[in-house]
Structure formats: structure tokens, C-alpha cells
């Protein structure tokens, strides 16, 4: 070898990389992804609960886990795009409860369900428009704007519904598609996750979103249409929240106005799912798949503890502690993973 | 360049953090599963309780819409006490904030998780019907408590909501006679309180009395309710009566009557429902004329007994519809309540015999 090569390698001949099997290559690729640590956490929790309780891994309970997962996952995917672009939407929880009533009124007026859903989503989109409009045009933190909208929309929902749950449509293929059939909700989740993941990683919309979240001013100066993209994210977040509310309402057969702080808790869990999944609250970095996995972690925890008989008073302590532990382990494992990937010089 | 060590966290710190996490999680799991272990009775080791044969430690899941609301503290005591006698255990779950979806999930988790009986506060006309049928098909008895809806549950244990409202309406006509009367309700349309206000309004209308009754919504939490009642009163100081159909609004009415000296104005009578401690004091002091007790303790105690007997008898002993009561508590009765603290009222955990006062 040359003198240069000899110095660099210390005299040893460099072996060409060994060709590895497909399985190993796929495995390594998956483990290298940032979402791997959350996935492993979710898996570990599932294993724990399976061992702790004989009913955890039954078909009936898996269905319950899916039902707990679905609304949070859909809310979280919408929230994640917005979080990455540096904003937050706290009104998602209230839009979740309001939108089904818009659909309900449309159906009562004789409009077929699919069209009624679209009209309702338009209404949800309007809330997103207002959120984005006030935040971006006036320059107030989205936290405050969407907090105010959370309260306003909650009030609107109570007024629209007279505080009374409304019966959801229950028969028909269109009902099956929008949450009636057993795993339709899950199908929608997968659709949204796949779509937004591709948007985030493969389209200009996604790249701009990340750029805006990382450095709004710099991005704008580089020609990124920051306001337009962020507005889009606000609208998507609100529409997804509305959609989640509709399919959940159809599933349980009742559109419920959610009096009593339920709206706040819903959006809180959505943000938690996004953060557990790896999205950074300050913006600029995030993952849609991570949001889904974060929602899965929360669903597994919630259902697991429920099925183990934890009562309401203790539930909060246990769930909160478990979330913190999951995040700590996740963070440590991430750091370990990043360091293991650093180049040894 | 030698940068060995990059890619390794120091083993001792990593192991310490790992073990800390595991120990904490394990400790928490152990602590909360003990939660249910203790609820089971003390005398179930050998033969069964009393005359009964030995029975498995049946687990009854109670699903509630406001799991942390103090109103239901006596209910949980009732469940615990009945469980201790009969050797059963329980889980108290559902939603903290009236999220029906959460309640449905909790109910389905109970069904899938092998619950031996389910108690459900039926605060929705539709959402619990499917899960109730699923539970019954799986051989799990389902009882409604505190709030009722037409569905296939075996029985309802709680207050006759419309009936109690009607009785209150009659009492309002009796006490007030004529004038502007406000009826406050926390969340209109909610299934466990709307029938009360419907009953009251019907009774007032049917009586033909010269009463202008208005129903006002106050909100879901105590501070909100107080603000709303106060605001209404300040705008309507000629009111001759202020009444409420839920615990929080009742307390708010009492506080406003006291703070605004409403009885020095046109107010003739005030009253409401349930036994929040402040409410009971206000009744004892004469600020409120009455409050209505629906005996939440029995709404926990009786369902456990009924589910136990249903399981023991193979479904031969079917639970009866049970009206846990419409007890008008006036100032004398309120005195009794104030001078005693007990599990039945929810303000003391201690087991004891309560001596009647006076």
C-alpha cells in the first residue's frame, strides 16, 4: 500500500465491508431510525402487560387498545406537522368535539354522510384558518390564540348541541367507512400517518415546514412561503381533529359535547403523543411515525393499567409516572443510539 | 485520532439509571395492584361470607363519568364495604371529564378483561347500549347506577330523577307561591340532571301557580357555577326563589344567597340537591331551605350486593330497580349531618357506628 494509506490504517489492510443479509440490513436500518426507541418502548410495554395480565393480548383487548389509540393518533399527526413548524394548536380538543355536530346537522338536513363529513371538515378548517390567521397576521403566540379558541369552540359546541349528546348515524356502508366498521378507524390512522409522513419527508411542504420551525426568519429570507405553509399546517391540524371526532362518535354511536374539560385532556394527550414520539416542542424537528408510536405507547399504558384494575384515583399517578419513565428511557436510548452511530476517527 | 469511549455511556451511570427506572416502575405497579387486593374482604380465606359458599374473588368494574368528583366518594366507600362483606374486589374507572368515548373504552376494557360485573353511570342514551349487550352476551351482569337510560341493563340503582325533580317542583310551589324563580343546572341535557329540572318545571306548570320559572345553565365546575349564579342574581334581584338541580349549582345558590343577603330582598326560598359540605352547612344555617339527598353510598353498596347475588344464583336472583331515595334534608337533618362525619356522607374514612343526634 502507499505510504499515506499505511499511515492512516496503521499498516493493516482494510477489509471491504462484508455483504450482510437483507434481514440484518433492514434491521440495522430500522434501529438507526429515530423512532426505533419509541417502537421498542411500545413493544417492551406490550410484553410487560402481556406477562402481567392474561387478558391483555386477547382479540377483544387489542380492539380496545386500537380504539384508545385512534383518536389520539389522528390528533397527534395533525399536531406534529404544526409543532414542527414551530406552532401549537390547543383548540384541537374542542374542534374534536364540535365537528361531529356540524356533520350531525348536515345529516339531519338530508345530506348524505360523506358529503356531510366534508362540510363538517370545512367547518373545522375554518377554525384552523382563524387560528392561523390571528397567530400569523397579528403575531401572537399560537399557544394563546389556540387556548382562547379552545374555550370559544367548547362554548360553541355546547350551544350547538344544547349540552346534549346526539345520536350518530349507525347503518350503511358510508357509516362503516367513517368509523362504524371494527377496524376502519385504524385504516384511517394508517392512511393519515402514511400521507403526512410522505409529506414531511418527501415534499417541499415538509421541507419548508422543518425549515420554518427551525428558523422562521431565515427560512423566509431564503424564499420559503412561511405564512402559507404554516397556515396550511393549522388547517390540517384542525381538520384532522374534526375527522377524529367524527369517526370516534360514529364508533360509539353518539356525538358527545364533552362537557367537563374533556377537550383539554384530548389535545394534551395528542401533544404528549407527539413529544413522546420524538417531536420537539420548540419546532424544527419531528416525526409523524413517532407521533403514531407515541400514541401507541399512551394507548398501551392506558389500557394496560385499566385492564390490571388500577382505579381512577391511582390511575393518574401511575400513568403520569409511566409516561415520564418511558420518556427518560427513550431519551437515554436515543443518546446511546446517536453516539453509537458517531464516526470513530 | 483516538477517541475511544465515544459511543459508550459510562456503564455505572447507565446501569444506575436503568435500574432506577425499573425499580420505580415496578414499585408503582405493585402499589397500584395492592389497591385492589386490599379492597377484597378479610374473611374469605376459608368458607364463604356468612351463610354463603366459598366464591371466587369476583371483580366488579364501575364506570363513571366524573371519577374524581367528591360526590362519588361515598359511592366508592359503599362499593368497598359491600366488597369486604362478600369477598369481592372492584375497579373504579371511566372518565374524569365526562368524555363518553373514554367511558366506552373503559367499559370495553372491563368486558375484555374478564370483569365479573359492570356498573355503569348511563349518562348517554346510545353509547353504552352496544357494550351493555356485549357484556350481557358474555354472561357479565350490567347495572346502571346514578344515571339511567333505556337500555338492556339488568336494573337501575339510583334516584328517580324525574320524580325527585317533580317533588322539588311541588315544594317550590309550596314555599314560594309566586314570583320569579330560577332553576340552575350545571350542564343542560346531561342525563343525570336534566330530568330533574324537567320534573320541577312540569310540577310548577301543572300547579297553576303564578310562578315565572327560568332555567339557567351554570357550567361544569364549582367556580364557574358560583360566578354564573351570582351574575344572574345581580341582574335579577327581584327573584323570589333560587333553586338548583346539581351539587355544584346548589352550593353556588347557597353562597350567593348568603353573600348577597338575598333574603333581605325579595327572596323567599332556596334549595337544591346533594350534600356538598358547604351546602349542608348552608342548610343548617337556614340560608337554604332544603337539599335533596340521593344517598350515593347506596348507589355503590347495592349494585355490589346485586351483582354478587346474580353471580351466586346463576342469574336466578335478578336485581330490582331501586330508588335510592329522595330525602329532603332540612335544617334539623343538616345539623345531624354536620355533627357527624362518616363513610356514608363521604367525609370520614373511619368505620364506626354513628349515633343519632338529639
Amino acid at each position: 500500500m502507499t505510504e499515506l494509506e499505511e499511515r492512516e490504517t496503521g499498516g493493516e489492510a482494510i477489509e471491504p465491508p462484508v455483504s450482510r443479509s437483507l434481514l440484518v440490513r433492514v434491521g440495522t436500518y430500522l434501529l438507526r431510525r429515530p423512532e426505533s426507541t419509541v417502537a421498542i418502548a411500545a413493544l417492551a410495554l406490550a410484553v410487560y402487560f402481556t406477562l402481567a395480565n392474561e387478558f391483555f393480548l386477547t382479540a377483544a383487548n387489542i380492539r380496545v387498545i386500537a380504539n384508545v389509540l385512534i383518536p389520539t393518533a389522528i390528533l397527534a399527526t395533525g399536531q406534529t406537522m404544526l409543532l414542527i413548524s414551530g406552532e401549537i394548536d390547543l383548540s384541537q380538543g374542542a374542534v374534536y368535539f364540535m365537528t361531529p355536530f356540524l356533520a350531525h346537522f348536515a345529516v339531519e338536513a338530508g345530506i348524505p354522510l360523506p358529503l356531510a363529513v366534508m362540510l363538517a371538515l370545512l367547518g373545522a378548517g375554518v377554525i384552523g384558518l382563524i387560528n392561523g390567521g390571528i397567530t400569523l397576521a397579528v403575531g401572537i403566540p399560537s399557544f394563546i390564540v389556540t387556548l382562547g379558541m379552545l374555550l370559544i369552540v367548547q362554548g360553541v359546541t355546547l350551544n350547538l348541541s344544547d349540552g346534549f349528546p346526539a345520536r350518530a348515524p349507525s347503518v350503511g356502508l358510508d357509516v362503516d367507512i367513517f368509523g362504524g366498521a371494527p377496524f376502519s378507524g385504524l385504516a384511517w390512522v394508517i392512511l393519515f400517518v402514511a400521507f403526512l409522513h410522505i409529506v414531511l419527508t418527501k415534499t417541499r411542504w415538509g421541507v419548508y415546514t422543518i425549515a420554518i420551525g427551525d428558523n422562521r426568519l431565515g427560512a423566509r429570507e431564503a424564499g420559503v412561503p412561511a405564512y402559507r405553509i404554516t397556515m396550511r399546517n393549522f388547517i390540517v391540524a384542525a381538520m384532522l381533529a374534526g375527522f377524529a371526532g367524527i369517526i370516534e362518535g360514529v364508533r360509539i354511536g353518539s356525538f358527545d359535547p364533552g362537557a367537563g374539560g374533556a377537550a383539554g385532556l384530548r389535545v394534551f394527550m395528542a401533544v404528549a403523543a407527539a413529544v413522546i414520539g420524538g417531536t420537539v416542542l420548540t419546532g424544527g424537528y419531528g416525526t409523524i411515525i413517532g407521533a403514531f408510536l407515541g400514541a401507541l405507547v399512551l394507548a398501551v399504558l392506558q389500557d394496560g393499567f385499566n385492564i390490571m384494575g388500577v382505579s381512577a384515583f391511582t390511575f393518574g399517578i401511575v400513568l403520569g409516572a409511566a409516561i415520564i419513565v418511558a420518556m427518560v428511557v427513550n431519551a437515554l436510548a436515543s443518546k446511546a443510539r446517536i453516539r453509537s452511530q458517531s464516526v470513530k476517527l | 485520532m483516538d477517541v475511544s469511549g465515544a459511543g459508550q455511556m459510562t456503564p455505572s451511570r447507565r446501569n444506575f439509571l436503568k435500574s432506577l427506572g425499573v425499580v420505580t416502575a415496578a414499585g408503582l405497579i405493585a402499589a397500584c395492584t395492592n389497591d385492589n387486593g386490599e379492597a377484597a374482604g378479610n374473611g374469605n380465606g376459608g368458607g364463604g361470607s356468612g351463610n354463603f359458599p366459598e366464591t371466587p374473588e369476583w371483580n366488579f368494574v364501575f364506570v363513571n363519568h366524573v371519577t374524581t368528583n367528591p360526590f362519588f366518594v361515598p359511592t366508592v366507600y359503599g362499593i368497598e364495604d359491600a366488597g369486604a362483606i362478600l369477598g369481592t374486589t372492584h375497579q373504579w374507572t371511566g372518565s374524569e371529564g365526562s368524555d363518553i368515548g373514554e367511558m366506552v373504552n373503559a367499559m370495553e376494557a372491563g368486558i375484555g378483561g374478564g370483569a365479573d360485573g359492570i356498573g355503569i353511570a348511563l349518562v348517554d342514551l346510545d353509547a353504552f347500549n352496544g357494550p351493555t349487550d356485549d357484556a350481557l352476551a358474555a354472561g357479565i351482569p350490567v347495572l346502571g347506577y346514578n344515571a339511567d337510560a333505556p337500555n338492556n341493563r339488568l336494573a337501575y340503582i339510583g334516584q328517580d330523577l324525574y320524580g325527585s325533580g317533580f317533588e322539588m317542583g311541588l315544594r317550590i310551589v309550596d314555599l314560594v307561591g309566586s314570583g320569579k324563580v330560577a332553576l340552575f343546572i350545571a350542564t343542560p341535557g346531561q342525563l343525570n340532571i336534566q330530568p330533574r329540572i324537567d320534573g320541577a318545571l312540569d310540577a310548577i306548570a301543572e300547579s297553576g301557580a303564578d310562578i315565572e320559572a327560568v332555567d339557567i345553565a351554570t357550567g361544569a365546575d364549582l367556580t364557574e357555577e358560583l360566578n354564573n349564579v351570582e351574575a344572574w342574581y345581580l341582574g335579577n334581584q327581584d327573584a323570589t326563589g333560587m333553586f338548583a338541580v346539581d351539587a355544584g349549582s346548589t352550593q353556588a345558590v347557597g353562597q350567593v344567597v348568603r353573600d348577597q343577603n338575598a333574603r333581605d330582598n325579595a327572596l323567599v326560598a332556596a334549595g337544591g340537591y346533594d350534600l356538598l359540605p358547604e351546602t349542608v352547612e348552608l342548610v343548617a344555617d337556614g340560608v337554604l331551605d332544603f337539599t335533596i339527598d340521593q344517598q350515593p353510598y347506596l348507589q355503590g353498596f347495592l349494585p355490589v350486593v346485586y351483582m354478587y347475588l346474580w353471580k351466586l344464583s346463576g342469574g336466578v336472583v335478578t336485581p330490582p330497580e331501586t330508588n335510592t331515595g329522595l330525602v329532603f334534608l332540612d335544617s334539623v337533618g343538616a345539623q345531624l349531618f354536620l355533627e357527624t362525619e362518616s363513610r356514608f356522607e363521604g367525609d370520614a374514612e373511619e368505620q364506626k357506628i354513628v349515633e343519632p343526634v338529639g
Side-chain angles (χ1 to χ4, degrees), chain B:
Chain B
M1 199 197 309
D2 178 2
V3 286
S4 64
Q8 309 272 331
M9 199 188 313
T10 60
S12 59
R13 190 168 78 153
R14 174 173 51 194
N15 288 337
F16 171 69
L17 283 164
K18 233 195 300 189
S19 53
L20 191 66
V22 170
V23 163
T24 316
L28 286 164
I29 309 295
C32 61
T33 46
N34 267 339
D35 195 50
N36 285 325
E38 275 165 19
N42 4 15
N44 204 29
S49 12
N51 286 342
F52 294 134
E54 210 178 319
T55 50
E57 194 184 60
W58 287 320
N59 180 30
F60 300 137
V61 174
F62 281 79
V63 180
N64 191 272
H65 53 297
V66 284
T67 49
T68 52
N69 190 305
F71 174 83
F72 287 105
V73 168
T75 310
V76 177
Y77 284 150
I79 297 171
E80 286 175 4
D81 291 344
I85 299 174
L86 299 169
T88 63
T89 183
H90 78 278
Q91 183 192 5
W92 179 252
T93 181
S95 167
E96 248 188 81
S98 292
D99 187 324
I100 307 288
E102 261 191 278
M103 290 175 73
V104 171
N105 289 337
M107 194 168 170
E108 290 178 344
I111 297 170
D116 297 293
I118 295 180
I120 169 83
L122 290 162
V123 289
D124 188 282
L125 288 174
D126 304 291
F128 303 110
N129 299 350
T132 300
D133 292 340
D134 291 342
L136 293 171
I140 304 172
V142 178
L143 294 174
Y145 72 99
N146 182 258
D148 198 21
N151 98 348
N152 293 328
R153 83 276 181 285
L154 296 177
Y156 165 67
I157 295 96
Q159 184 181 58
D160 171 5
L161 299 164
Y162 181 85
S164 66
F166 198 87
E167 289 294 315
M168 180 169 88
L170 293 179
R171 188 163 283 216
I172 291 174
V173 171
D174 222 14
L175 290 171
V176 175
S178 66
K180 185 193 295 186
V181 168
L183 289 165
F184 295 101
I185 177 170
T187 39
Q190 193 173 299
L191 276 179
N192 64 334
I193 50 180
Q194 183 68 32
R196 296 174 182 168
I197 209 172
D198 291 340
L201 290 169
D202 286 351
I204 295 173
E206 277 177 32
S207 72
D210 180 24
I211 292 180
E212 181 202 340
V214 282
D215 55 335
I216 319 279
T218 55
D221 80 74
L222 244 51
T223 25
E224 230 188 307
E225 290 169 307
L226 183 55
N227 292 338
N228 289 326
V229 173
E230 192 163 357
W232 185 88
Y233 179 71
L234 290 172
N236 293 274
Q237 295 189 40
D238 57 340
T240 53
M242 291 210 289
F243 300 89
V245 293
D246 63 275
S249 306
T250 305
Q251 177 175 306
V253 164
Q255 287 170 323
V256 169
V257 168
R258 178 192 60 199
D259 297 341
Q260 300 291 336
N261 297 310
R263 289 184 187 266
D264 293 343
N265 290 340
L267 195 91
V268 172
Y273 275 74
D274 299 329
L275 304 166
L276 286 175
E278 177 90 2
T279 303
V280 177
E281 272 197 47
L282 292 164
V283 174
D285 291 342
V287 175
L288 289 170
D289 291 282
F290 64 85
T291 185
I292 299 176
D293 180 13
Q294 58 173 301
Q295 306 196 89
Y297 181 87
L298 288 178
Q299 291 177 11
F301 189 89
L302 293 175
V304 172
V305 175
Y306 292 167
M307 288 194 276
Y308 179 88
L309 288 173
W310 192 93
K311 297 273 306 178
L312 185 66
S313 68
V316 169
V317 178
T318 44
E321 296 281 324
T322 308
N323 183 357
T324 57
L326 166 60
V327 179
F328 276 95
L329 205 71
D330 59 12
S331 66
V332 173
Q335 270 304 126
L336 167 65
F337 257 80
L338 283 180
E339 289 168 20
T340 60
E341 283 170 356
S342 70
R343 286 172 77 82
F344 311 102
E345 302 156 34
D347 48 6
E349 219 183 334
E350 190 197 334
Q351 294 284 6
K352 61 185 177 201
I353 300 176
V354 182
E355 295 294 332
V357 175

Side-chain angles (χ1 to χ4, degrees), chain A residues 34-39 41 275-278 323-339, chain B residues 9 13-14 17:
Chain A
E35 298 92 346
S36 62
T37 44
V38 196
V275 173
I276 291 174
I323 291 173
I324 293 176
V325 169
M327 273 309 286
V328 168
V329 170
N330 191 14
L332 297 174
S334 289
K335 288 196 189 141
R337 181 181 49 80
I338 289 171
R339 276 189 215 149
Chain B
M9 199 188 313
R13 190 168 78 153
R14 174 173 51 194
L17 283 164

Side-chain angles (χ1 to χ4, degrees), chain A residues 90-91 131 142-154:
Chain A
L90 295 177
S91 69
N131 285 337
S142 55
F143 186 94
I144 298 297
V145 175
T146 56
L147 181 63
M149 286 305 289
L150 173 72
L151 301 171
I152 291 175
V153 175
Q154 260 185 310

